[in-house]
Amino acid sequence: MTSSDTPQRRNPLASPRFWWIVGWLVLAGFLVVAAMTLPWTDVIAALKGARWEWALISFVIVVAGWPLWIVEWWLLAPAAHRPSLPRMAQVTALTGTANNSVPIAGVVAAVGFLMVRGGLPASAAMSLYAVDQLLTGIVKVGTLALAATLLPLPDWMRTAMLTLAGVIAAFVLVMLVAARSGNLVRTVSRTFGPKAAKIAKLAADFLDHLEPLRQPLLGLAVMLLAIAKKAVEIAAVVAVQVAVGIEPSFSAAVLVVAALGLATLAPVSPGNLGVYEAAVIFCYQYLGVPLPLAVAAAVLQHAVFFASSFVGIGYLALTLPRGDSAARTS
C-alpha cells in the first residue's frame, strides 16, 4: 500500500466541534463550582414556600405569548408563500423546541423548519428569519433603553446597550436599502455571465421577500407583535416575583428581561442553562434582593419558560401525524 493510499488521520485539535465541546465543558465546570457556593438550603426553603398559583399564572402568561409568535412569523412570510396558521404553529413549536435543547441551533433550525414544514423556498425562509432577528434586536435595544430610564444601569450594561444599538441601527439601514435592491442586483449581474446571474437570482429573491421593510403597515404590525411578545415576558417575570416572595416590581422585571436579552445573544448551553440563571441572579442581587430569593426566582422563572415549550411539543404530537397523512393523500 502506497503512502497515498494511507488514510489521513484528522487532527482532533483542528476540529471546531472539539473546541466547542471543550469550551462547553469548561463553562459547565464553572457553573457547577458557582452552584456549589449557593445557599441551597435557603433556596429550597424559598421554593417550598412559593405561591405556586402565581407560578401557574406565569406559565399561562408565557403560553399566551405563543400565538403572538405564530401570527408574527405568518405575517413575515412573503404573501406568495404564506403557509396556514396551523402550519406556522408547527414551525414555531419545532423552532422553540430546538432552541431549548440544542445550543446554537437557531438559524439552521428555524430556516430548516420554515422550509420543511412551512413550505417556504430557501430565499423566503432566510428573509423571514432575517427580518425576525432585526425586530428582535430592535426590541432588545428598546427594552434596555426602558430599563435605563427606570433604573441606574451598571456601566457595562450601558456600554452593551449603546454597542447593540449601533449594530442594530446599521443593520436596519442596510436592510431598508437592500429590500428595494432586488431588480438592481439582477440587472448588474447580467454583465458577469450566467453563473453570476444564477447566484444573483437567489440573492435578488431573498431581497424581494423582505416585504415588511417595504410595506409600512405590515412592518408596523410585526413590530407591535414583537413588542407584545416582550411585554408578555415582562409580565411573566413579575408573576414569578410574586410567587417567590419578591416585592413585585415592573422596573426589576424590565431589567431582568433586558439582561437576559444580552446574556442569551450567543447560546452556549442547552436552553441557556446556567447562563440564564446567572443573569437573573445578577439582576436581583444588583437590586438588593436576598440571594436565596434571587436564586429561587431564577430557577422558577427558567423552569416556567422551559415548561411552556412542552405545550408546543404537545401540539406537535397532536398535529404532525395528521399533517403528514394529509400531505400523502393530497
Side-chain angles (χ1 to χ4, degrees), residues 10-308:
R10 292 187 61 186
N11 182 2
L13 297 180
S15 170
R17 180 182 298 178
F18 171 81
W19 289 108
W20 181 87
I21 293 173
V22 169
W24 192 88
L25 289 175
V26 171
L27 174 64
F30 279 120
L31 293 174
V32 169
V33 172
M36 291 174 63
T37 66
L38 296 175
W40 286 108
T41 301
D42 295 333
V43 172
I44 293 172
L47 289 172
K48 285 183 177 179
R51 300 169 62 182
W52 291 97
E53 67 274 15
W54 279 96
L56 179 59
I57 290 172
S58 180
F59 173 81
V60 172
I61 291 172
V62 175
V63 173
W66 181 30
L68 298 174
W69 183 11
I70 297 169
V71 175
E72 180 192 358
W73 274 27
W74 183 77
L75 289 174
L76 285 176
H81 304 285
R82 188 169 288 155
S84 66
L85 282 171
R87 188 55 68 98
M88 189 58 83
Q90 293 178 2
V91 171
T92 56
L94 287 165
T95 303
T97 302
N99 289 340
N100 280 326
S101 56
V102 184
I104 320 178
V107 178
V108 176
V111 172
F113 293 138
L114 284 165
M115 293 170 61
V116 174
R117 294 306 305 172
L120 274 67
S123 57
M126 288 187 290
S127 70
L128 186 157
Y129 191 77
V131 178
D132 173 74
Q133 291 304 293
L134 178 63
L135 292 171
T136 299
I138 293 172
V139 174
K140 283 184 177 181
V141 171
T143 307
L144 283 164
L146 179 59
T149 63
L150 297 173
L151 295 165
L153 295 185
D155 290 340
W156 68 267
M157 190 174 286
R158 287 184 175 276
T159 301
M161 177 184 69
L162 294 174
T163 302
L164 183 60
V167 172
I168 294 299
F171 190 25
V172 169
L173 290 175
V174 170
M175 292 287 282
L176 286 173
V177 173
R180 302 177 182 276
S181 304
N183 290 333
L184 177 62
V185 170
R186 290 188 182 90
T187 302
V188 172
S189 67
R190 291 170 189 161
T191 62
F192 296 99
K195 185 176 292 187
K198 183 180 293 187
I199 297 173
K201 181 182 183 303
L202 295 174
D205 288 344
F206 167 83
L207 299 177
D208 288 344
H209 291 319
L210 298 174
E211 294 174 4
L213 301 181
R214 295 191 300 272
Q215 301 177 23
L217 289 179
L218 179 59
L220 176 62
V222 292
M223 175 59 72
L224 290 175
L225 286 167
I227 294 172
K229 285 164 53 185
K230 193 62 66 175
V232 165
E233 291 183 44
I234 294 170
V237 171
V238 172
V240 169
Q241 293 173 355
V242 178
V244 300
I246 297 174
E247 183 177 353
S249 168
F250 173 75
S251 57
V254 171
L255 178 62
V256 167
V257 172
L260 285 171
L262 291 175
T264 58
L265 277 174
V268 294
S269 63
N272 294 303
L273 185 64
V275 177
Y276 188 106
E277 285 78 5
V280 176
I281 292 169
F282 167 81
C283 290
Y284 285 127
Q285 284 279 274
Y286 177 75
L287 296 173
V289 175
L291 182 57
L293 288 182
V295 177
V299 171
L300 183 58
Q301 180 180 313
H302 202 178
V304 165
F305 278 81
F306 180 76
S308 67

